[in-house]
């Protein structure tokens, strides 16, 4: 439609208007109208947009307004002086408004296009202009060398007029080159290329008209082709302004291709121009002053372009170096606390041990585990727990002072490496304990926390000295602090083969890797009785471990170690298999088949393998599923409750009953009671001391008994040590009980069919079951 309109106007001006002066008046008026309409379109399109997309349209409209003003001057001159000569004059300088403001608009609009190399906007503008001038100058040099001299002599005698008229096509060429550079080096969506392509076509139309006008300065009126170009150019620029591109991010391949074009494209015409000039001078030709000026201009622009490239490379190298440093820091530091992570700590520990072995540089290691930190997460949420961990990390760094490496090994575990300062290790540990005793105030909440610390200092001549060994020993010493009541410091004093705080993780892994029974593992049984008559109705299977060299290990200690090291499943499976194997012996002892309770870690309930282990043990030893009760220890969080519910349901459908152990001592007991399908609840001793605190404990116990009665769940009271407590619980409606009053855990061959004599109400043996 645009082409048809331009063709119609051109035909009217050429053929319908008879006189030359009338044709010129009609053509100038038509060009003025085209410029005004295009300027109005650009201003209107810019008003509806913002940022760079608004700015380039306003600049383009300003240039078109200058174009229309010159045409208006020509039109007025045509009316006042119909016979005036057609030649360039001072008023024609207004025509340069369009190319100048088009260049400014392209520079502004280029900022809205994706860039292959992210740099400053000012740098991008300058490089775009330099590249455009460099390519345009090289092309002009090629044209000057290729076109015969007589063509330029025929143009006119006045060099100023010729030079002024030549500025138009040169400007058009510069703009066309800039558009082509943007199309080649700024990848974007197809829609985003539309205004650039329309601008290129507009410059082509104007460039043809300007070139023809330059070559025909001595002639009269404009030819139809010239007139069409001056009409078509503004029309195409108006279409570019009203186009609405939807920019899209370029692909990686497009970015790589654009980056190579961005680097190489400006130098292609320079090389071609150099080759042409070298051939001419080599064959005896001489350079004109114009070619020399263009050569010096090109050389200066190439130097400037290279300087920008050098700056780009310098910035790029700085960014790469910064990125490498950031990645290195992320690889060796904890993202939450900013402390060293396990990888960096182990690397530094290896270096410290190497210095200790070869140069005698002292070294010491502190291992810290926060006490009951999971309760913080459960009570206040993980976000609060993360902020507390950061605050703890800051206090640890302040407590040990400079020169020590503080690391977060994971979760709530921290470690401190003291090389060159082994003598300060124990005081540093006590400073850590003192620092952590001070409450933390986070988000308006006052939070108290403590830690159990293990200290290890390597012994001279130890053949097994390594970073992993040292960490295991510090971990073992930390467990000793846990066993002593937490919030304490214990120093590793045993070797790899024994001692009061031997390398328990290593020994436990070695014991469970083969036959646990051969490594000192066995199963003890404690009776569960009916409180009304004292009849034994079931037994609970309990793991016991006596290491051949380390001696007896407390169940709380080795179970905790097993849970932390991922070995608890092996203990569960061993106890399950041995309990099913002893089922026949238990039936002989009590004169009838009896139920067997087996403990299973709560974390195990949501993992693979438990159902298979239960099925294999029952089948292997021909035990009826109804005789097996799987006790879920309630002091550990169940990580995947939906899966745990599915596993519990499948076990019950198989005939196995499910019990919730240590109810009331750990994680959200009522929530688990509501969610998990259980048959039995075992009340923790903190809820069964109704003889000591009849009002408070009695109220709690009554409430739990009432809830369980409503749900059809049996209740077993644990920790019964006195007849008074047994009678009080029976009076509250609890029918089953377990504790030292009815018998201590023992191997199957020591069990008796009757409950032993009850101790006096004043005796209170330590509960270890």
């Amino acid at each position: 439609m645009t082409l048809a309109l331009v063709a119609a106007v051109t035909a009217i001006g050429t053929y319908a208007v008879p006189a030359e002066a009338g044709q010129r008046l009609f053509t100038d008026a038509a060009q003025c109208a085209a410029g005004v309409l295009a300027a109005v379109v650009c201003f209107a399109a810019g008003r509806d947009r913002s940022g760079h997309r608004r700015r380039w349209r306003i600049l383009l409209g300003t240039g078109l307004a200058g174009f229309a003003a010159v045409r208006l001057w020509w039109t007025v001159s045509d009316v006042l002086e119909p016979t005036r000569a057609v030649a360039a004059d001072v008023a024609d300088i207004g025509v340069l408004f369009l190319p100048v403001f088009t260049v400014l608009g392209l520079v502004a609009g280029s900022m809205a296009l994706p860039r292959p190399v992210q740099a400053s906007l000012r740098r991008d503008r300058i490089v775009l202009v330099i590249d455009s001038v460099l390519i345009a100058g090289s092309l002009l040099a090629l044209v000057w060398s290729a076109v015969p001299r007589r063509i330029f002599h025929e143009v006119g005698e006045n060099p100023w007029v010729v030079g002024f008229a030549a500025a138009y096509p040169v400007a058009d060429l510069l703009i066309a080159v800039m558009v082509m550079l943007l199309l080649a080096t700024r990848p974007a969506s197809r829609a985003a290329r539309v205004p650039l392509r329309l601008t290129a076509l507009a410059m082509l139309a104007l460039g043809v008209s300007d070139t023809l006008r330059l070559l025909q300065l001595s002639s009269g009126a404009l030819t139809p082709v010239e007139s069409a170009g001056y009409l078509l150019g503004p029309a195409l620029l108006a279409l570019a302004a009203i186009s609405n591109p939807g920019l899209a991010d370029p692909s990686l391949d497009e970015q790589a291709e654009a980056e190579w074009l961005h680097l190489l494209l400006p130098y292609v015409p320079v090389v071609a121009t150099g080759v042409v000039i070298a051939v001419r001078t080599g064959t005896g030709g001489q350079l004109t002053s114009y070619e020399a000026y263009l050569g010096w201009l090109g050389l200066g622009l190439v130097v400037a372009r290279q300087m920008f490239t050098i700056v780009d490379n310098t910035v790029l190298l700085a960014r790469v170096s910064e990125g490498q440093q950031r990645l290195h820091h992320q690889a060796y530091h904890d993202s939450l606390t900013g402390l060293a992570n396990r990888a960096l700590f182990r690397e530094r520990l290896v270096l410290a041990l190497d210095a200790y072995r070869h140069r005698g540089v002292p070294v010491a290691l502190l291992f810290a585990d926060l006490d009951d930190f999971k309760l913080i997460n459960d009570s206040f949420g993980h976000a609060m727990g993360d902020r507390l961990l950061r605050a703890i990390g800051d206090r640890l760094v302040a407590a040990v002072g400079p020169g020590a490496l503080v690391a977060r090994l994971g979760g709530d575990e921290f470690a401190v490496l003291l090389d060159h300062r082994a003598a300060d290790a124990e005081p540093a540990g006590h400073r850590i304990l003192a620092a952590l005793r001070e409450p933390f105030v986070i988000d308006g909440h006052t939070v108290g926390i403590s830690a159990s610390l293990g200290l290890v200092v390597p012994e001279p001549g130890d053949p097994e000295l390594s970073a992993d060994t040292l960490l295991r020993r510090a971990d073992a010493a930390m467990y000793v602090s846990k066993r002593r009541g937490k919030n304490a410091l214990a120093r590793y004093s045993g070797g790899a083969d024994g001692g009061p705080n031997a390398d328990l993780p290593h020994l436990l892994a070695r014991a469970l890797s083969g036959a646990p029974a051969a490594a000192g593992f066995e199963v003890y049984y404690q009776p569960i009785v009916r409180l009304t008559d004292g009849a034994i109705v079931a037994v609970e299977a309990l793991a016991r471990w006596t290491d051949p060299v380390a001696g007896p290990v407390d169940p709380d200690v080795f179970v905790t170690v097993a849970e932390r090291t991922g070995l608890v499943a092996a203990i569960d499976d061993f106890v399950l298999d041995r309990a099913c194997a002893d089922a026949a012996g238990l039936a002989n002892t009590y004169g009838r088949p009896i139920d067997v309770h087996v403990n299973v870690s709560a974390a195990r309930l949501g993992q693979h393998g438990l159902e298979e282990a239960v099925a294999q043990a029952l089948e292997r030893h021909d035990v009826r599923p109804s005789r097996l009760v799987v006790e879920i220890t309630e002091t550990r969080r169940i990580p995947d409750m939906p899966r745990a519910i599915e596993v519990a349901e499948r076990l019950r459908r198989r005939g196995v009953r499910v019990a919730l152990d240590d109810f009331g001592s750990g994680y959200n007991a009522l929530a688990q009671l509501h969610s998990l399908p259980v048959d039995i609840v075992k009340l923790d001793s903190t809820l069964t001391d109704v003889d000591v605190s009849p009002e408070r404990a009695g109220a709690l116990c009554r409430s739990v008994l009432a809830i369980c009665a409503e749900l059809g769940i049996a209740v077993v009271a644990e920790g019964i040590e006195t007849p008074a407590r047994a009678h009080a619980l029976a009076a509250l409606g609890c029918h089953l009980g377990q504790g030292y009053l009815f018998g201590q855990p023992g191997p199957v061959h020591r069990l008796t069919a009757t409950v032993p004599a009850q101790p006096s109400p004043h005796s209170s043996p330590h509960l270890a079951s």
Side-chain angles (χ1 to χ4, degrees):
M1 180 178 178
T2 302
L3 292 175
L5 183 60
V6 170
V9 172
T10 304
I12 292 172
T14 304
Y15 302 108
V17 180
E20 179 179 334
Q23 292 177 0
R24 186 170 60 195
L25 175 62
F26 180 85
T27 302
D28 291 342
Q31 292 175 19
C32 178
V36 170
L37 289 175
V40 171
V41 169
C42 289
F43 288 136
R47 185 184 57 188
D48 297 334
R49 291 165 176 82
S50 61
H52 296 299
R53 295 178 177 86
R54 180 178 186 272
R55 193 171 297 117
W56 76 262
R57 287 174 169 87
I58 298 299
L59 289 170
L60 189 60
T62 304
L64 286 167
F67 174 89
V70 173
R71 266 51 185 183
L72 178 61
W73 171 260
W74 288 354
T75 303
V76 172
S77 298
D78 293 337
V79 173
L80 298 178
E81 190 179 356
T83 60
R84 69 181 179 90
V86 179
D89 56 30
V90 178
D92 289 358
I93 193 172
V95 179
L96 293 178
F97 266 64
L98 180 57
V100 169
F101 280 91
T102 302
V103 168
L104 295 177
L106 286 173
V107 171
S110 67
M111 299 302 103
L113 297 173
R115 292 174 287 163
V117 179
Q118 296 299 318
S120 68
L121 297 180
R122 179 179 299 178
R123 178 262 179 207
D124 268 1
R125 293 188 183 106
I126 295 174
V127 169
L128 177 62
V129 173
I130 289 177
D131 289 347
S132 301
V133 174
L134 183 61
I135 296 174
S138 301
L139 293 176
L140 285 175
L142 284 174
V143 172
W144 184 269
S145 301
V147 175
R149 294 292 179 270
R150 59 181 178 82
I151 295 180
F152 296 100
H153 291 304
E154 293 173 358
V155 170
E157 300 295 334
N158 190 340
W160 292 102
V161 173
V162 174
F164 192 72
Y168 305 145
V170 170
D172 296 333
L173 176 63
L174 176 65
I175 296 172
V177 168
M178 188 176 292
V179 172
M180 298 308 296
L181 273 176
L182 291 175
L183 285 170
T185 62
R186 299 293 178 87
S189 65
R190 292 182 178 179
R193 295 175 180 266
V194 170
L196 289 175
R197 288 171 176 166
L198 290 172
T199 303
L201 292 175
M203 289 302 106
L204 177 62
L206 292 172
V208 170
S209 296
D210 287 335
T211 302
L212 292 176
R213 185 164 181 257
L214 170 64
L215 297 177
Q216 297 178 8
L217 283 178
S218 58
S219 64
L222 299 180
T223 66
V225 176
E226 292 178 75
S227 300
Y230 287 130
L231 293 173
L232 186 60
L236 290 172
L237 292 176
L239 291 176
I242 62 176
S243 61
N244 188 21
L247 297 180
D249 292 332
S251 65
L252 295 177
D253 293 337
E254 288 177 324
Q255 286 185 348
E257 181 182 356
E259 187 170 349
W260 278 106
L261 287 173
H262 186 262
L263 292 173
L264 298 179
L265 192 57
Y267 301 106
V268 173
V270 174
V271 173
T273 303
V275 170
V276 172
I277 293 177
V279 171
R280 270 193 54 202
T281 55
T283 57
Q286 293 184 349
L287 294 179
T288 64
S289 59
Y290 177 72
E291 290 171 335
Y293 292 149
L294 283 179
W296 283 110
L297 174 63
L299 179 61
L301 292 174
V302 168
V303 171
R305 186 67 173 81
Q306 285 299 107
M307 291 179 63
F308 277 103
T309 302
I310 292 172
V311 171
D312 283 345
N313 291 338
T314 303
V315 172
L316 180 60
L317 289 175
R319 289 179 178 174
V320 170
S321 177
E322 180 184 349
Q324 289 176 339
Q325 293 176 1
R326 185 166 56 250
L327 290 174
H328 183 271
H329 185 274
Q330 292 174 353
Y332 284 99
H333 290 80
D334 176 55
S335 59
L336 177 63
T337 62
L339 300 174
N341 60 11
R342 183 180 290 272
L344 177 58
F345 188 82
R346 191 180 185 283
E347 185 176 297
R348 287 281 301 275
L349 181 57
V350 170
L351 294 176
L353 288 176
D354 185 69
Y356 170 76
R357 278 192 295 261
H358 295 91
R359 300 192 301 275
V361 178
V363 61
L365 174 62
L366 279 167
F367 188 95
D369 182 86
L370 302 180
D371 297 327
D372 303 317
F373 183 76
K374 290 182 179 179
L375 295 178
I376 302 293
N377 284 334
D378 293 339
S379 303
F380 299 101
H382 288 276
M384 169 78 82
D386 290 345
R387 287 192 284 273
L388 180 59
L389 286 173
R390 283 193 289 267
I392 290 171
D394 294 339
R395 285 199 188 178
L396 290 178
V397 172
V400 299
L405 178 65
V406 181
R408 180 181 176 224
L409 302 185
D412 56 357
E413 296 177 347
F414 295 83
V416 180
L417 175 63
L418 298 108
D419 46 357
H420 301 85
R421 292 174 50 192
D424 186 48
E426 194 159 337
H430 289 295
R431 289 198 300 271
I432 290 174
L433 293 175
L436 295 182
R437 289 190 189 105
E438 294 294 326
F440 293 84
V441 179
I442 301 187
D443 294 343
H445 299 282
T446 301
V447 182
I449 197 70
S450 64
S452 298
L453 272 63
L455 168 63
V456 60
V457 179
E459 298 293 335
D462 189 345
E464 296 187 8
L465 190 62
S466 67
D468 292 335
T469 301
L470 215 61
L471 280 169
R472 285 201 309 267
R473 293 179 182 179
D475 191 52
M478 181 273 298
Y479 282 122
V480 175
S481 338
K482 294 277 190 188
R483 191 168 55 197
R484 292 175 180 173
K486 304 178 181 179
N487 193 25
L489 170 68
R491 180 165 180 161
Y492 183 83
S493 59
D497 297 327
N501 53 6
D503 190 350
L504 288 184
H506 175 71
L507 296 177
L508 185 62
R510 187 172 62 184
L512 295 173
S513 62
F521 271 96
E522 53 186 332
V523 176
Y524 281 21
Y525 299 93
Q526 186 176 31
I528 298 173
V529 304
R530 193 164 48 233
L531 295 180
T532 54
D533 57 5
I536 298 175
V537 296
V539 293
E540 180 180 359
L542 302 167
R544 294 295 183 264
W545 181 35
T546 302
D547 187 78
V549 291
V553 183
D554 189 273
D556 290 340
V557 174
F558 74 75
V559 170
T560 303
V561 173
E563 287 177 337
R564 292 170 63 94
T565 55
L567 298 171
V568 71
I571 298 178
D572 291 345
D573 292 347
F574 168 76
V575 175
L576 176 64
D577 185 76
R578 181 54 59 89
C580 290
D582 289 340
L586 291 169
N588 292 332
T589 300
Y590 295 109
R592 66 186 186 285
I594 199 167
D595 297 342
V596 180
H597 292 230
V598 176
N599 287 290
V600 172
S601 171
R604 184 88 185 283
L605 192 61
Q607 298 173 353
H608 294 284
L610 176 60
E611 295 177 78
E612 293 77 2
V614 169
Q616 291 174 6
L618 293 173
E619 183 178 356
R620 185 183 303 116
H621 302 290
D622 195 22
V623 177
R624 291 175 56 189
S626 60
R627 292 299 175 187
L628 178 64
V629 178
V630 173
E631 292 189 7
I632 308 302
T633 172
E634 207 268 325
T635 54
R636 289 283 182 248
R637 171 177 290 278
I638 298 176
D640 188 351
M641 182 61 76
R643 176 168 174 78
I645 294 173
E646 294 178 5
V647 172
E649 287 285 9
R650 287 196 291 268
L651 288 174
R652 296 179 73 206
R653 286 196 295 268
R654 188 184 294 270
V656 177
R657 283 173 290 170
V658 178
L660 198 58
D661 194 17
D662 298 320
F663 183 86
S665 65
Y667 293 94
N668 207 347
L670 288 177
Q672 292 197 8
L673 181 62
H674 171 73
S675 302
L676 275 176
V678 298
D679 304 282
I680 301 170
V681 164
K682 300 188 73 175
L683 297 181
D684 187 75
S685 58
T686 57
L687 295 180
T688 60
D689 55 350
V690 292
D691 54 332
V692 178
S693 178
E695 294 182 359
R696 182 177 180 82
L700 290 173
C701 191
R702 256 193 312 271
S703 300
V704 175
L705 286 171
I707 293 173
C708 290
E710 288 289 333
L711 297 176
I713 298 174
V715 177
V716 178
E718 295 183 304
I720 301 178
E721 300 178 356
T722 64
R725 182 170 300 181
H727 294 320
L729 287 168
L732 290 174
C734 184
H735 303 298
L736 302 173
Q738 179 182 356
Y740 273 25
L741 177 66
F742 310 115
Q744 297 187 19
V748 65
H749 61 272
R750 294 183 186 173
L751 297 179
T752 60
T754 58
V755 173
Q758 298 177 355
S760 67
H762 301 289
S763 64
S764 181
H766 176 66
L767 181 64
S769 61

